[in-house]
Amino acid sequence: MQEIELILPDKSVRKIPAGTTGQQVAESISQSLARKALAIKIGGKILDLSQPLTTGGDFRIITPSNDDPDALYVLRHSCAHVLAEAVCDLYPGTRLAYGPPVDEGFYYDLASPKPLSDDDFPAIEKRMAEIIKEDRPFTRCEVPVEEAMRRTEGDKYKRDNAERAVARGDKIISFYANGEPGKNWEDLCAGPHVPSTGRLKAFKILSLAGAYWHGDQNSDQLTRIYGVCFADKEGLQKHLTFLEEAKKRDHRRLGKDLDLFHLEDHSPGMVFWHPKGAFLYNALRNHVRKVILARGYQEVITPEIVDKSLWIRSGHADKYNENMFKTMAGDKEMAVKPMNCPCHIEIFNQGLKSWRDLPLRLAEFGKCHRNELAGTMHGLMRVRGFVQDDAHIFCTEEQIAPEVRDFCVLVKDLYADFGFQVAKVKFSTRPEKRIGSDDLWDKAEAALAEATKLAGLDAELNPGEGAFYGPKLEFVLKDCLGRDWQCGTIQVDFNLPVRLGATYVGQDNQKHHPVMLHRAALGSIERFCGILIEEYAGDFPLWLAPTQVRVLPISEKFQDYALQVLSKLIAAEIRAEVDNSNEKIGYKIRQGEQQKIPYLLVVGEKETLGNLVSVRKRKEGDQGQQSLDDFVKVFKLGLPN
RNA sequence: GCCCAGGUAGCUCAGGGGUAGAGCACUUCCUUGGUAAGGAAGAGGUCUCGGGUUCAAUUCCCGAUCUGGGCUCCA
């Protein structure tokens, strides 16, 4: 009999006859391991315990663990099947589409005859618990293509899934039954699964959403049920607690609590910044301004409302029309700019440019408006009116790579100033809806790829997601729930300079079109503020805190002294205020802490007599009494250089 | 734009076909205090908007709008 070699996690090698199942291997190691085992992983592929092993390789037995992504993967996938059976039981006529595990849990896309709502969750969870209690085996059943076609006859989604499997070249199609095939509920599915429903120890249905069949908005709208599943109750509870905690960091929550900004019905997707939020907003702008001016950028300011003819020439009227706000000036059609690039080209086009002028870096904190679809807005993260820390670098082809590299360094440095690391970099290539010839796109993509390499970045390929005028690099940051948001970006564009007639005189005394690099480091100030608020949970570093110091008089008798302290702090360029409410000191401390103010200075009789302040530093507590001058010195040490 | 759920006091939310509720916040008074909520009183609402059903609608129905979770789209 043919033998295969399993390399166990401790690197020891175990020889077994081909056809042995994972379950048998587990039993041969130890009974307790066999009882715990959920699945096995061989050669990087997860298999059911009951599947016969046919090839050797790195081998391990997957047991329940909240720290093992493979364990969670099989548990969640299996839990999705239990969910699907429960829904099919409760709402006969339900048709199923996909039910995969995802990073934080699982979902199932389905079409039920009755619209589902959150009110249905208890019933669904109850039915799931019953199925789990019955501890039915997940039974794999492999059938030839013809049989799979017969079984999925008339089932639009499953038939389509089966056909896709065949198109991929699958000769055998697998089904999984929650119990006995032909008797219990079953689903077309590649697996793998845990041995039985009873192995699911901790799950919860979280939410309901709509999703398009195959992500195509012209296709069927399905109902997506999201759930989570963990190895045990503690894991589930920890996750639910995490979600609760995330809510407290939510920038929309903190925007209200810390009085930073608000959004209102009159202007959906456009932000009303309150004084403290406006401070933060300007702090970001000022910091970026300082950094880019030191790196060879020049700042410009351009109009927000521009005649339609420019947008026709730039291609926006054709490719970006539905996203533009339109307005009239008399009988002239105008549009509110959705991007700054055409305006910057207009500046470039003033006067003759020589090759000696390149690279020319024009920067603008440019306010853009985009009429985004109603359902896409999200707090500060996705708005209709926003300011980009934008710039356009006009350069030669040879200058692309060094300019991209310099920009990548700038992004890295700038994010580090805010205490962030670049989470992810994506390389997005030509979209379907685009301008320019394929030759130019080939050139642009190759140039960006080379520059990415030069910058030493590990970029993930994101095909078809580029801008309509060029490929781009995207710098992605995460919000409190781990959702991705594109912040910085740089895009190589051979198209717009040609369309808008930008030229420079080369060393050969001929006119040439420059290459244009579109780039934004923070992306939009709005979105970056949102990320910043969540990252710090409103507990901003000293240099970004809208209020840095609050002075708390013990009683109204010491208000005059508090005001003296205030004016000295303001003179020292410290952002300070006085709490002169008629409350006890305990209450004022509480308020100051809740507003996350870095320093609270308590002043009462003792301080008044000694010309002192009692310092309380956020998160570190009481720092004792100090002279005001000493406090200012310590305070200044807390600011970045 | 699509699916589901919401919109009640400044905030967080309860309620329900017949004069609108709580806690916090706010104002005034008492209190003048020493490091995370002192006490009392008061004020505050066209129950998102528009239609419909009804003797009567904040409540039920329809539509609009905004918000939330997703999908699609994007900085």
Side-chain angles (χ1 to χ4, degrees), chain A residues 272-307:
Chain A
F272 290 75
W273 289 97
H274 298 12
K276 289 180 181 183
F279 167 80
L280 198 60
Y281 195 93
N282 282 323
L284 297 193
R285 271 208 282 217
N286 294 340
H287 185 67
V288 171
R289 178 175 282 132
K290 195 175 101 186
V291 169
I292 62 172
L293 291 182
R295 300 194 192 203
Y297 288 81
Q298 295 171 283
E299 193 171 343
V300 299
I301 300 170
T302 65
E304 282 171 40
I305 297 178
V306 179
D307 193 272

Side-chain angles (χ1 to χ4, degrees), chain A residues 397 400-401 404 427-430 438-454 461 470-473 492 494:
Chain A
E397 285 181 36
I400 295 173
V404 172
F427 183 85
S428 298
T429 55
R430 70 192 78 183
D438 284 352
D439 283 352
L440 281 183
W441 276 91
D442 288 343
K443 219 157 112 181
E445 286 173 0
L448 191 58
E450 191 208 326
T452 308
K453 214 166 128 191
L454 193 60
L461 193 64
K472 61 180 177 177
L473 228 46
V492 178
F494 286 94

Side-chain angles (χ1 to χ4, degrees), chain A residues 29-48:
Chain A
I29 296 171
S30 95
Q31 278 303 318
S32 69
L33 181 63
R35 274 196 302 275
K36 277 196 298 187
L38 294 176
I40 60 105
K41 191 171 193 179
I42 179 131
K45 202 171 168 230
I46 304 174
L47 294 180
D48 295 344

Side-chain angles (χ1 to χ4, degrees), chain A residues 237-253:
Chain A
Q237 193 49 52
K238 217 172 128 191
H239 181 71
L240 297 177
T241 306
F242 163 78
L243 292 179
E244 283 301 310
E245 290 299 313
K247 263 189 212 165
K248 293 184 197 159
R249 306 172 74 93
D250 189 309
H251 73 280
R252 293 164 299 186
R253 168 85 262 140

Side-chain angles (χ1 to χ4, degrees), chain A residues 14 18 46 84 99 130 132 140 202 222 233 333 342 381 403-404 455 498 509 554 592 605 612:
Chain A
R14 184 173 284 247
I46 304 174
E130 288 165 7
I132 289 169
R140 182 182 173 93
L222 303 167
K233 293 264 192 306
E333 280 187 68
M381 302 298 197
E403 285 297 320
V404 172
V498 178
N509 200 28
I554 292 282
E605 190 172 17
L612 301 169

Side-chain angles (χ1 to χ4, degrees), chain A residues 225-382:
Chain A
I225 304 179
Y226 279 96
V228 286
C229 177
F230 286 87
D232 51 37
K233 293 264 192 306
E234 290 73 44
L236 176 62
Q237 193 49 52
K238 217 172 128 191
H239 181 71
L240 297 177
T241 306
F242 163 78
L243 292 179
E244 283 301 310
E245 290 299 313
K247 263 189 212 165
K248 293 184 197 159
R249 306 172 74 93
D250 189 309
H251 73 280
R252 293 164 299 186
R253 168 85 262 140
L254 288 166
K256 243 174 212 163
D257 290 349
L258 304 181
D259 197 18
L260 301 174
F261 65 88
H262 84 270
L263 295 157
E264 61 178 60
D265 295 7
H266 305 294
S267 199
M270 308 196 201
V271 186
F272 290 75
W273 289 97
H274 298 12
K276 289 180 181 183
F279 167 80
L280 198 60
Y281 195 93
N282 282 323
L284 297 193
R285 271 208 282 217
N286 294 340
H287 185 67
V288 171
R289 178 175 282 132
K290 195 175 101 186
V291 169
I292 62 172
L293 291 182
R295 300 194 192 203
Y297 288 81
Q298 295 171 283
E299 193 171 343
V300 299
I301 300 170
T302 65
E304 282 171 40
I305 297 178
V306 179
D307 193 272
K308 190 181 176 185
S309 59
L310 185 66
W311 303 115
I312 291 173
R313 284 204 293 139
S314 70
H316 286 81
D318 185 27
K319 306 288 180 198
Y320 211 72
N321 192 42
E322 62 273 30
N323 279 315
M324 286 200 279
F325 286 103
K326 318 289 188 331
T327 185
M328 300 295 288
D331 56 358
K332 281 170 78 114
E333 280 187 68
M334 316 281 284
V336 184
K337 72 177 172 189
M339 299 180 192
N340 304 300
C341 20
C343 294
H344 289 189
I345 295 182
E346 292 304 296
I347 290 182
F348 182 88
N349 286 167
Q350 294 292 308
L352 270 185
K353 295 290 179 295
S354 145
W355 63 275
R356 295 173 197 276
D357 295 320
L358 307 185
L360 183 69
R361 308 181 190 91
L362 299 182
E364 177 175 14
F365 293 96
K367 180 132 200 181
C368 296
H369 289 81
R370 299 180 185 176
N371 194 187
E372 304 287 359
L373 293 177
T376 60
M377 259 91 75
H378 181 93
L380 294 178
M381 302 298 197
R382 185 79 183 275

Side-chain angles (χ1 to χ4, degrees), chain A residues 295 297 361 393 400-413 454-455 490:
Chain A
R295 300 194 192 203
Y297 288 81
R361 308 181 190 91
I393 301 172
I400 295 173
E403 285 297 320
V404 172
R405 181 203 54 209
D406 288 354
F407 175 71
C408 292
V409 171
L410 184 150
V411 168
K412 212 175 108 231
D413 291 352
L454 193 60
I490 184 162

